[in-house]
Amino acid sequence: MTGPALPSDDLGELQAWHAACRDAPLAVDMTRGLPSAEQIALSHAMLSLPGPAPFDSEDGQDWLNYGGQQGIPQLRALLAPLLLGVPAAQAAVGGNSSLALMHAAIGLAWRTGLPGHAPWAAARQIRFLCPVPGYDRHFAICRDHGITMVPVPIGVDGPDMDQVERQVAQDPLIRGMWCVPRHSNPCGATYSEEVLRRLATMKTAAADFTLFCDNAYAVHDFAPQASAPPGLYDACATAGNPDRALLFGSTSKMTIPGAGIALLGGSARLLDWWLAAQRACTIGPDKVNQVRHLRFFGDAAGVSRHMQQHGHMLQQRFAQVLKVFARRLSALQDVHWSRPSGGYFITLWVPPGCARRVVRLAAEAGVAILPAGTTHCSGTDARDRCLRIAPSRLSPSDAAQAAAIIAGCVLLACAELSSAPGRDASNTLKGVP
Ligand code: PLP
């Protein structure tokens, strides 16, 4: 993939550059955080597992028949501590998609209520706190259930806890909150110990207030970490609020997306609630896929080795984008971006009023990025500033090329803004005469 070299910050030159890009557009889709083919190839050996021979478990359970509602104990013992931070007994495996489990858990709370509480359907309104920028598919689950979303800002070490504590203490209609405690989508935040502690201990007006904790990126660090497992459940249990967190995770971005293993976890009480409801839905999950994953990973060291390879591939791509942004965008006022240490996204903040314009300009140059506003629970970013950049699927050189297009489009949008009648050009270009 090639493209015209980036010009200076002069509006005319930028317009000419963009016209040349439009004439020979790239064909890059950065709208979603998909693993690259190279990453997925790390799991190709799974395609021939568990092999043609019938298999049995050491505990005598027949894995080739119905049953095993909670999932194979050995797989839970491997993945529940790593992905959810709970012991095997407090996790259930179900299907391939953690989002489907989140949707189903909210549906269950809606129909039957959380254990010991009234169904949400009986409430006048249900509200969820949504850290913003956040994950559009969480917002979609809320929308699907008619849940009113209340945005709270999020920084590098988690949501603004002063706001969170104030709102949950005052408003009994707030029954839930989305949390992505590690490498959150899209801003890359990893919640600090202090944020986890405050989430676990805060006073809530609703007795059944629940943290919907999406651990999608629990083991998705770019570089090997001596990191502890996700600690939200432990923090809640220590605070005497073990039923406060429902935890979700999957191997979607560890093995083969769409053919992975999804898990739900929480207190023993929440697990019983969940498993009892599953009896009305299914005679049991796909245990062949569970055995496949068990044989593929082997043990926790196997998971770690595998995820280090993912991390390395992702880091190569992210490094390219960050290098281009640093070179091209550092002089711009009101432009900054996240520098994640894991996960799948970079968030790029552009001057107010520019994000939609950048998306449009980039699309014209053949680089599709998530529409501006999608990271906000209302669907609209009132300040029109936030862009989600997803370089994972591209090769490192394509990621650099796409980042150069995006950077050029940011420069062009800023130059347009500065030259708009009544604007002071020095508002946008820092240090540029
Ligand atoms: N949760 C987050 C925060 C994600 O970013 C993603 C995928 O991008 C998912 C969940 C998808 O999970 P699953 O494939 O298990 O449904």
Side-chain angles (χ1 to χ4, degrees):
M1 226 172 14
T2 56
L6 266 172
S8 72
D9 300 321
D10 173 79
L11 177 60
E13 282 184 37
L14 284 162
Q15 284 169 333
W17 165 80
H18 190 255
C21 293
R22 276 201 316 264
D23 287 346
L26 304 181
V28 170
D29 187 347
M30 292 178 106
T31 51
R32 308 299 319 182
L34 303 182
S36 62
E38 198 185 356
Q39 281 176 271
I40 294 171
L42 295 172
S43 301
H44 280 176
M46 287 188 84
L47 297 174
S48 52
L49 291 172
F55 45 81
D56 250 328
S57 76
E58 296 89 63
D59 55 17
Q61 198 182 321
D62 183 357
W63 288 346
L64 281 181
N65 212 323
Y66 274 137
Q69 190 72 261
Q70 194 173 350
I72 289 173
Q74 291 88 335
L75 185 72
R76 285 186 279 118
L78 175 63
L79 294 183
L82 287 176
L83 302 190
L84 307 182
V86 296
Q90 288 174 225
V93 184
N96 72 292
S97 162
S98 60
L99 281 169
L101 296 181
M102 296 172 220
H103 189 276
I106 288 176
L108 189 56
W110 202 272
R111 293 191 307 279
T112 70
L114 284 148
H117 298 280
W120 287 357
R124 166 163 68 83
Q125 194 187 82
I126 297 289
R127 296 187 182 145
F128 264 44
L129 291 186
C130 298
V132 165
Y135 183 35
D136 56 333
R137 297 197 195 276
H138 290 162
F139 307 152
I141 293 175
C142 283
R143 245 174 256 125
D144 199 40
H145 288 90
I147 293 172
T148 304
M149 292 176 268
V150 180
V152 283
I154 182 165
V156 284
D157 59 2
D160 178 334
M161 284 308 299
D162 290 343
Q163 280 204 34
V164 170
E165 285 167 343
R166 199 169 47 248
Q167 303 224 42
V168 297
Q170 283 169 358
D171 187 350
L173 298 181
I174 297 179
R175 312 295 269 278
M177 174 175 173
W178 290 111
C179 302
V180 184
R182 284 187 68 74
H183 309 305
S184 61
N185 177 351
C187 62
T190 291
Y191 294 13
S192 66
E193 290 291 318
E194 176 64 1
V195 166
L196 295 180
R197 189 192 61 73
R198 288 174 74 176
L199 287 169
T201 55
M202 66 193 179
K203 300 255 176 302
T204 64
D208 60 351
F209 172 83
T210 304
L211 298 163
F212 285 81
C213 176
D214 180 348
N215 274 336
Y217 302 114
V219 289
H220 301 62
D221 303 295
F222 295 157
Q225 304 272 328
S227 68
L232 189 58
Y233 175 73
D234 278 350
C236 290
T238 305
N241 294 318
D243 296 341
R244 180 169 289 185
L246 261 175
L247 308 122
F248 304 88
S250 79
T251 64
S252 287
K253 287 175 177 173
M254 299 169 70
T255 56
I256 300 177
I261 294 290
L263 297 102
L264 170 149
S267 66
R269 190 169 182 228
L270 284 172
L271 241 287
D272 288 349
W273 168 79
W274 172 257
L275 287 172
Q278 292 320 295
R279 284 196 276 278
C281 307
T282 167
I283 317 178
D286 173 359
K287 295 184 296 302
V288 175
N289 199 26
Q290 295 180 28
V291 174
R292 182 179 296 129
H293 276 73
L294 194 55
R295 299 228 168 131
F296 179 69
F297 286 129
D299 55 19
V303 174
S304 169
R305 276 193 304 275
H306 182 75
M307 293 312 293
Q308 278 179 32
Q309 297 184 71
H310 277 278
H312 177 66
M313 290 172 182
L314 287 164
Q315 187 161 39
Q316 289 177 325
R317 289 148 174 86
F318 277 65
Q320 292 295 333
V321 174
L322 295 173
K323 200 163 73 184
V324 171
F325 285 0
R327 200 171 61 237
R328 298 297 308 175
L329 301 179
S330 294
L332 290 177
Q333 212 168 54
D334 286 337
V335 175
H336 57 103
W337 53 92
S338 60
R339 291 166 180 79
S341 59
Y344 272 69
F345 304 100
I346 295 167
T347 297
L348 173 64
W349 284 271
V350 293
C354 282
R356 274 177 299 180
R357 181 69 181 141
V358 171
V359 172
R360 172 97 177 268
L361 289 167
E364 289 170 358
V367 176
I369 46 184
L370 193 71
T374 311
T375 52
H376 285 55
C377 50
S378 61
T380 307
D381 173 3
R383 304 197 67 212
D384 194 24
R385 291 205 61 193
C386 182
L387 295 169
R388 186 179 86 166
I389 310 298
S392 52
R393 195 183 191 179
L394 308 179
S395 70
S397 62
D398 286 358
Q401 186 83 35
I405 296 287
I406 294 168
C409 294
V410 173
L411 285 162
L412 176 52
C414 291
E416 288 174 347
L417 196 68
S418 300
S419 63
R423 292 294 299 229
D424 172 3
S426 65
N427 273 350
T428 307
L429 295 176
K430 217 174 14 189
V432 176

